[in-house]
Amino acid sequence: MPDTIDPSLQHAYKEVLRRNPGEHEFHQAVEEVLGTLGPVVKRHPHYLAERVIERLCEPERQIIFRVPWTDDVGQVQINRGFRVEYSSVLGPYKGGLRFHPSVLLGTVKFLGFEQIFKNALTGLPIGGGKGGSDFDPKGRSDTEVMRFCQSFMTELYRHIGEYTDVPAGDIGVGAREIGYLFGQYKRITNRYEGGVITGKGLAWGGSQARTEATGYGTVVFAQEMAKHAGLGFEGHDVVVSGSGNVAIYAIEKVNQLGGRVLACSDSSGYVVDEQGIDLELLKEVKEVQRGRVQDYATARSSARFVDGGSVWDVPCQVALPCATQNELDEHAAAALVRGGTEIVAEGANMPCTPAAVRVFQQAGVLFGPGKAANAGGVATSALEMQQNASRDSWTFEHTEERLAAIMRRIHERVVTTAEDYDRPGDYVFGANATGFVQVADSMLAMGVI
Ligand code: NDP
């Protein structure tokens, strides 16, 4: 039993381990939250008496389904689809779909669990859920991706709806996949129910700034952290991991704020560009050509590609992990500390291992957990739902301002809670406690649910 968890919560954690064997990422996500809630349940013991924690650890509904489809050579392929509808006390289940070969039920549960508290932090009326499949879109033709998405939605459609469950994108699910998924939902239901999925194209119900939102929001959050600590942001060297949706728009916002991104990565390695990452070239390589970061280095003389290796070996003042879970371990964290890193903000979900987080906290590095730092994506999805419900569409400037205001408010809520519990600067505690209390109180108000 991890000694990070308060004795009053250990029974709940043991039950999670017993009922969900082998789901290590899910265990990790639960441990991270329960590991911070000791002071909260001490102050509010009725959460224990009412067994709120045990209730919250059990998803309201878990759906697993077969996804059969035919590839371009006529071969039948079988994938597994998931949707974990975790908590609907604050609103319809809300959270993305991940298409990646590593996706298992435990992956979706870890993401769904995190999503409950993240969505609460946004202050918007959205519950928590997550879904996905072990389908790998990499190397598949557009028509194969379309057939897969159509088959996936042929099952998923019966579980979702604008008042029930509203999926969006995540790793491997971008504008192309959202289009195919929405198109099939519309055909099956014969309804133009825009609010059933977010991340839609701008011409058919999408929101301005949704594509940019997670990356932009992460950088706005990091900037707030810097401001709060009396540090600057302009002129800083930044390293971003990944080169997908979150990473690209984090880089764009860093550039806008006067920082310089020296390196980014994908699963094959990383590129270092001493002149700063050329965003237009990166977008061309990743978004248009669907290429690799190595192709970026080939096209740019100031850049070099490092095959394998860790992008965190590149010294920087600000580190933004924006790729995937557990990509930054204690060794990488130690390398960052040695390189002078002052701020880490998670654009991805749980990219830093618990040991890495301890290294940052012990070294006095400001650490912004994903639940708070990357909440801008889902917040803007909720703004997309608002626009769909009112048959309206807002300008980019207005939407981005709303996003920035939400990120500032999340920062304020997290900092206030941490200070209230005499843990100034502990963003992990502040985020977990703020999200938890809001969800727990709402749940209790609704009876035994
Ligand atoms: P994308 O699929 O657009 O990009 C993922 C990026 O991470 C790719 O560059 C991918 O490289 C890279 N990557 C994946 N695994 C590894 C690895 N093991 N080592 C190094 N790089 C890796 O996904 P998103 O940008 O949408 O999502 C990134 C993260 O942000 C995820 O954790 C997601 O859950 C989180 N997130 C996303 C939100 C959104 O709005 N999209 C909202 C909130 C959180 P490769 O191409 O080689 O696989």
Side-chain angles (χ1 to χ4, degrees), residues 375-397:
V378 73
T380 310
S381 276
L383 300 182
E384 182 173 331
M385 291 161 71
Q386 272 186 40
Q387 293 168 76
N388 296 145
S390 58
R391 308 246 182 272
D392 199 359
S393 83
W394 307 340
T395 62
F396 190 95
E397 292 69 27

Side-chain angles (χ1 to χ4, degrees), residues 96 98-100 110-111 115 118 130 136 138 168-174 210-215 218 241-248 265-269 286 291-293 311 321-327 346-351 370 374-378 381:
R98 176 175 293 189
F99 292 169
H100 192 274
F110 119 63
L111 290 162
Q115 198 83 45
K118 178 191 309 193
K130 199 82 187 187
D136 187 358
K138 249 191 238 131
D170 190 80
I171 291 180
V173 179
R210 175 60 189 91
T211 307
E212 294 83 356
T214 309
T218 300
S241 64
S243 48
N245 170 265
V246 180
I248 284 178
S265 65
D266 60 24
S267 54
S268 57
K286 299 299 293 195
R292 317 293 300 153
V293 287
V311 71
C322 296
T324 193
Q325 64 269 19
N326 292 328
E327 52 153 313
E346 293 186 323
N349 286 312
M350 211 169 71
N374 72 36
V378 73
S381 276

Side-chain angles (χ1 to χ4, degrees), residues 13-83:
Y13 186 62
K14 262 190 211 143
E15 277 301 286
V16 167
L17 297 181
R18 187 185 67 77
R19 301 177 98 170
N20 306 278
E23 296 180 350
H24 304 297
E25 291 164 337
F26 176 54
H27 302 164
Q28 184 184 332
V30 174
E31 186 188 331
E32 192 255 3
V33 172
L34 298 199
T36 58
L37 291 183
V40 179
V41 295
K42 237 168 235 131
R43 192 180 283 188
H44 305 283
H46 66 289
Y47 292 146
L48 291 175
E50 303 267 8
R51 303 195 68 193
V52 173
I53 304 212
E54 286 90 334
R55 289 196 240 170
L56 265 178
C57 288
E58 187 64 24
E60 287 177 15
R61 194 173 296 108
Q62 304 181 54
I63 302 150
I64 305 180
F65 52 97
R66 177 169 64 200
V67 190
W69 56 284
T70 308
D71 67 18
D72 284 348
V73 294
Q75 177 74 44
V76 173
Q77 301 284 342
I78 313 291
N79 286 101
R80 186 175 280 181
F82 303 95
R83 188 74 184 163

Side-chain angles (χ1 to χ4, degrees), residues 243-430:
S243 48
N245 170 265
V246 180
I248 284 178
Y249 292 96
I251 296 172
E252 186 162 287
K253 184 49 80 181
V254 169
N255 291 347
Q256 288 171 11
L257 295 179
R260 185 173 62 142
V261 179
L262 289 179
C264 66
S265 65
D266 60 24
S267 54
S268 57
Y270 66 93
V271 281
V272 189
D273 189 334
E274 297 300 341
Q275 289 184 7
I277 296 288
D278 176 338
L279 191 63
E280 289 320 305
L281 176 60
L282 185 68
K283 281 186 181 174
E284 171 67 26
V285 168
K286 299 299 293 195
E287 293 185 334
V288 181
Q289 299 167 9
R290 294 187 187 275
R292 317 293 300 153
V293 287
Q294 184 166 16
D295 303 325
Y296 172 96
T298 308
R300 184 142 155 109
S301 58
S302 58
R304 70 190 157 84
F305 175 68
V306 180
D307 200 349
S310 166
V311 71
W312 308 117
D313 289 338
V314 181
C316 59
Q317 279 110 36
V318 180
L320 304 175
C322 296
T324 193
Q325 64 269 19
N326 292 328
E327 52 153 313
L328 198 166
D329 63 11
E330 70 270 32
H331 305 293
L336 285 170
V337 170
R338 279 194 305 277
T341 298
E342 294 169 336
I343 296 172
V344 178
E346 293 186 323
N349 286 312
M350 211 169 71
C352 299
T353 65
V357 177
R358 277 194 294 277
V359 170
F360 291 137
Q361 290 179 330
Q362 279 161 11
V365 172
L366 294 174
F367 175 74
K371 272 186 215 86
N374 72 36
V378 73
T380 310
S381 276
L383 300 182
E384 182 173 331
M385 291 161 71
Q386 272 186 40
Q387 293 168 76
N388 296 145
S390 58
R391 308 246 182 272
D392 199 359
S393 83
W394 307 340
T395 62
F396 190 95
E397 292 69 27
H398 175 70
T399 318
E400 196 193 351
E401 185 37 51
R402 293 278 311 261
L403 163 65
I406 290 167
M407 296 314 296
R408 288 194 292 268
R409 174 85 183 115
I410 294 173
H411 182 271
E412 188 187 305
R413 289 181 76 192
V414 169
V415 163
T416 305
T417 303
E419 284 170 0
D420 182 36
Y421 279 83
D422 209 16
R423 289 166 170 255
D426 188 343
Y427 285 88
V428 176
F429 174 82

